[in-house]
Amino acid sequence: SWPRKLGESKLSKAAKNVEALKGLDRKGTEKLLGTGELGNSSAAQRNRLLADLVAAETAREGAVTGKTQEDQARAWDRWVEWCRSTGISNDVFLDEFSRSERNKLFGAFAMALREGRFSGSNVHSLAESTVRNSLSFVASTFREHDRPNPTRDEDGEL
């Protein structure tokens, strides 16, 4: 259920990033950057850009500790479980929902977390900080997959 495999070495992650970025042509690079302004760039300039993108991704991956990855994976698993329990398991990134609806659904997920629905039987409610961290981890996963942050409304507010 976790969109990104845990336990991969930093080197293998970097290699996958390179392979993914190598296959991008000019249109793919423009789409990646969200601009159409690369029309006059040379192959050497695009290669430099791709190298910088790979370096940034590798650095980002290297900055995350194993404990953080475990916490993020646990939060994502809880999110997927919540989606299944509510009948929206085919759209875990909420692509078919409006920004407002995503925000409300995320609030409902927060309540389920707070109530300890996905914790052991001896946990009756989770601390606010635990819920906040879990929401942050799930939102990070959304953003890692080029989806909008579901905790933000149309104005970018929480």
Side-chain angles (χ1 to χ4, degrees), residues 12-26:
S12 67
K13 287 179 185 177
K16 286 182 181 179
N17 293 337
V18 169
E19 287 305 311
L21 292 173
K22 261 195 214 175
L24 293 177
D25 58 9
R26 183 176 299 168

Side-chain angles (χ1 to χ4, degrees), residues 57-74:
E57 177 64 16
T58 302
R60 187 189 67 76
E61 288 288 335
V64 177
T65 67
K67 171 85 168 91
T68 300
Q69 288 178 342
E70 290 172 16
D71 291 346
Q72 188 168 5
R74 184 179 315 104

